[in-house]
Amino acid sequence: MPVAFRLPLQVFFEREARHPRKVFLVQPVGNGEVQALSWGDVGHQARCAAHWLRARELPQGSHIALISKNCAHWIIADLAIWMAGHVSVPLYPNLTADSVAHVLTHSEAALALIGKLDDWPAMAPGIPAGVPTISLPLCPEGAFDFSWADLQACSPIQDNPEPVASALATIVYTSGTTGLPKGVMQTFGALGFAATRGTELFGLGEGDRLLSYLPLCHVAERMFVELASIYTGQTVFFAESLETFLADLRRARPTALFGVPRIWTKFQLGVYAKIPEKRLDTLLRLPFIGKRVGHKVLAGLGLDALRIALSGAAPVPEALLRWYQRLGLDVLEVYGMTESCGYSHVCSPGAQKLGWIGLPCPGVEVRIDPSGEVQVRSGATMLGYFKDPQKTAETLTEDGYLRTGDKGEQDADGRLRLTGRLKEIFKTSKGKYVAPAPIENRLAEHARIEQVCVVGEGLGAPVGLCVLSAGNDDRRALGSGLERWLEQVNTALDKHERVRQLVVVKDSWAVENGFLTPTLKIKRSVIEATYGPQLQAWSERAETVLWQD
């Protein structure tokens, strides 16, 4: 019997009618000031914008791009696009002009809504000729064809359009870890299936608060913030900038927060910047006092009200999870892909098993194929990739399972553990296969290793390329510490997996220079191409820790 679920606009209209004056979105507008928008305010603005979009007389189901950092009007614009009968195509707010041009051209975008951005002049040349632009509030300076005020001058639509479950809702472009971004097509039914079931897992409701700071165009933030807030009635606070992030966090005092591992590590490093690691560890071990200290640390971060703390997009080092547990906070891992609306596996409160992600979400079927690949099937599975039937056929099995590309295993209770990416596995010159991701996760537990990439195709043994976080350490002392750390990590690895040496590279790996995807994942192909010519020579050096000078 099919699982019952409700569709996004249907749920939004119910909330708009039930409590129009309740605050929905809280947007910083500068100088410490915020603008609070109620469900009624959001509905009114979305309805006015939908009227304007309908008046363009575009073909039903036209694709409309949304280019903006997280802000209240990102969500309002998305709702307006859906109310007008169209499909939203969100773009990352830090793309190059070439990437903007590729996505807008490939998606056949008819319009582009431009919102809050840090470097619009660098992106603007990517807007194809003939694609009109509409400026949202908080947009950068520039010449736009229409403004949000033009849209708000229209009267609000009076009907409550409810697209059918099978209608296309959005095309979400992947971040391009392994090549050009692919356009994942998701229906209203897939979004509704994931949002209905996902929000039931944690018991969140109208009294809860979220902070939105990861890109809303990414499936995780889209589901955990935009869709989850609509389905549960939570209030969404937005972060203004990196500089104000801590103040934004303290203002929101979220009761639920989704983060990637690097965010949880940044919080930890921020704490250590104020209180030395050894001193904090000593205090946390003290009876009675330790619990108060942990709560005080969380309060200083604005995390003292957290009931649900989630981490996804990459495995979390077990040592980091234990550190948060000592503070009194369980950070739960979740697993999903853009192709499954981010809905696949979750670690339930009170059922955490370190090293394992958790059980399949309700309505998700899982199997491990003979190659070790994790395959999942549910009502949240994508239709396919836009204009790419070949890639779709490669990714979806004939019986509807999604090939995740992740290797994994299940325990007796059905919990999932990932053991690497199929396409990332390399073979050393000794003919041994190595999965780099689990090794990288262990190396990254060192407080000073900011990013790491383990390579070794054709080498005698793997080599770890790493970028260190800023610090005033003496190079010799830091090098000795890294040597000891590598020795410790290697003792837990099979002989053929052991890392020959760590190379501390001088480059910064960032989105802007192409080393990271917009979701802050390393681009292995770029890293291997950049350092490939030097790898053989490095691997023949005697030093365990090398510094690229």
Side-chain angles (χ1 to χ4, degrees):
M1 183 175 178
V3 176
F5 58 86
R6 297 183 298 160
L7 301 179
L9 283 183
Q10 175 190 1
V11 181
F12 175 79
F13 294 141
E14 289 173 4
R15 294 203 174 280
E16 178 193 30
R18 189 164 71 251
H19 41 56
R21 295 183 181 178
K22 182 182 183 296
V23 173
F24 176 20
L25 308 175
V26 180
Q27 173 65 52
V29 292
N31 299 319
E33 300 294 320
V34 298
Q35 178 188 22
L37 297 167
S38 68
W39 288 88
D41 296 330
V42 169
H44 178 84
Q45 291 195 33
R47 288 171 179 278
C48 291
H51 184 160
W52 186 91
L53 289 169
R54 288 181 181 179
R56 300 306 97 197
E57 298 185 347
L58 298 169
Q60 189 76 359
S62 290
H63 302 166
I64 300 190
L66 179 50
I67 311 175
S68 175
K69 294 176 68 176
N70 294 22
C71 61
H73 284 85
W74 197 106
I75 292 177
I76 296 172
D78 200 26
L79 290 168
I81 292 168
W82 288 344
M83 289 181 192
H86 299 311
V87 176
S88 60
V89 182
L91 277 71
Y92 283 97
N94 51 5
L95 294 180
T96 64
D98 287 344
S99 295
V100 170
H102 168 74
V103 173
L104 293 188
T105 301
H106 184 268
S107 68
E108 303 172 6
L111 296 168
L113 292 147
I114 313 299
K116 183 181 178 184
L117 294 168
D118 289 334
D119 195 4
W120 171 239
M123 302 176 74
I127 303 293
V131 176
T133 55
I134 305 159
S135 62
L136 298 176
L138 303 181
C139 71
E141 292 185 6
F144 301 99
D145 298 298
F146 303 97
S147 71
W148 189 249
D150 294 327
L151 278 61
Q152 294 306 295
C154 295
S155 57
I157 62 170
Q158 298 301 310
D159 58 317
N160 289 352
E162 294 184 10
V164 296
S166 60
L168 184 61
T170 188
I171 302 177
V172 182
Y173 278 81
T174 61
S175 56
T177 309
T178 57
L180 286 175
K182 301 182 291 290
V184 176
M185 297 187 290
Q186 291 291 11
T187 64
F188 286 101
L191 296 179
F193 180 95
T196 299
R197 289 290 172 255
T199 52
E200 290 173 351
L201 290 170
F202 301 111
L204 296 168
E206 295 176 2
D208 286 297
R209 302 179 299 277
L210 297 170
L211 178 70
S212 178
Y213 64 100
L214 294 171
L216 267 166
C217 55
H218 188 276
V219 70
E221 191 83 349
R222 191 92 174 273
M223 298 305 301
F224 189 75
V225 172
E226 181 189 28
L227 272 298
S229 63
I230 290 172
Y231 277 72
T232 62
Q234 298 172 89
T235 301
V236 180
F237 293 75
F238 292 89
E240 183 175 6
S241 66
L242 281 175
E243 291 72 28
T244 66
F245 182 76
L246 192 54
D248 296 326
L249 193 57
R250 288 169 176 162
R251 177 193 299 118
R253 291 187 67 244
T255 55
L257 186 70
F258 175 85
V260 295
R262 281 188 68 190
I263 293 296
W264 296 109
T265 301
K266 291 282 189 185
F267 286 152
Q268 182 190 50
L269 293 175
V271 171
Y272 285 157
K274 293 185 176 181
I275 179 170
E277 180 177 352
K278 289 184 179 179
R279 175 168 169 73
L280 178 59
D281 288 347
T282 299
L283 290 172
L284 290 174
R285 281 196 296 266
L286 296 174
F288 308 112
I289 294 176
K291 188 173 182 179
R292 294 213 311 257
V293 169
H295 183 79
K296 190 172 181 180
V297 169
L298 292 175
L301 292 170
L303 303 178
D304 55 314
L306 266 189
R307 293 193 297 111
I308 301 296
L310 302 179
S311 183
V316 188
E318 288 185 30
L320 187 63
L321 294 175
R322 291 192 189 95
W323 186 80
Y324 277 102
Q325 285 179 339
R326 293 179 68 198
L327 296 181
L329 181 66
D330 284 331
V331 178
L332 308 174
E333 291 196 75
V334 296
Y335 169 69
M337 299 175 66
T338 307
E339 290 85 347
S340 64
C341 291
Y343 184 79
S344 180
H345 288 72
V346 65
C347 180
S348 303
Q352 194 171 25
K353 180 180 176 182
L354 294 185
W356 298 79
I357 296 167
L359 297 169
C361 295
V364 175
E365 300 172 86
V366 186
R367 69 187 183 192
I368 309 292
D369 87 337
S371 72
E373 182 183 41
V374 179
Q375 298 182 356
V376 298
R377 179 172 68 180
S378 78
T381 305
M382 68 172 181
L383 280 179
Y385 297 115
F386 184 57
K387 295 197 300 192
D388 199 341
Q390 180 179 343
K391 185 63 71 173
T392 299
E394 293 172 3
T395 306
L396 296 177
T397 66
E398 289 187 3
D399 55 352
Y401 277 84
L402 171 67
R403 303 180 193 272
T404 66
D406 288 311
K407 290 193 70 172
E409 58 188 14
Q410 292 176 294
D411 69 5
D413 296 319
R415 292 186 186 89
L416 178 69
R417 173 163 63 190
L418 300 182
T419 57
R421 290 283 294 172
L422 287 172
K423 292 182 179 178
E424 292 174 356
I425 294 173
F426 58 79
K427 186 164 68 172
T428 65
S429 62
K430 297 176 182 177
K432 297 290 187 178
Y433 287 97
V434 176
I439 304 172
E440 291 163 353
N441 295 335
R442 293 181 181 180
L443 289 171
E445 291 186 23
H446 191 283
R448 289 297 306 282
I449 295 180
E450 178 88 5
Q451 296 152 330
V452 60
C453 180
V454 172
V455 297
E457 183 69 37
L459 300 178
V463 171
L465 306 173
C466 57
V467 175
L468 301 184
S469 58
N472 299 317
D473 307 68
D474 173 74
R475 177 181 284 196
R476 181 176 298 179
L478 180 55
S480 297
L482 289 172
E483 284 184 22
R484 291 191 298 272
W485 179 245
L486 181 58
E487 182 179 353
Q488 182 179 332
V489 169
N490 277 337
T491 56
L493 300 175
D494 290 339
K495 190 173 181 180
H496 72 279
E497 296 177 311
R498 291 174 184 168
V499 177
R500 168 73 182 83
Q501 63 212 153
L502 290 178
V503 179
V504 180
V505 301
K506 62 184 179 182
D507 306 297
S508 65
W509 295 350
V511 176
E512 292 73 21
N513 59 13
F515 282 96
L516 302 183
T517 71
T519 53
L520 306 182
K521 295 178 182 176
I522 59 173
K523 290 187 176 181
R524 292 184 186 275
S525 60
V526 173
I527 291 171
E528 290 171 354
T530 301
Y531 305 106
Q534 304 168 76
L535 289 176
Q536 187 63 47
W538 283 340
S539 68
E540 294 171 356
R541 297 270 294 273
E543 300 96 322
T544 305
V545 176
L546 297 176
W547 303 79
Q548 182 195 25
D549 292 314

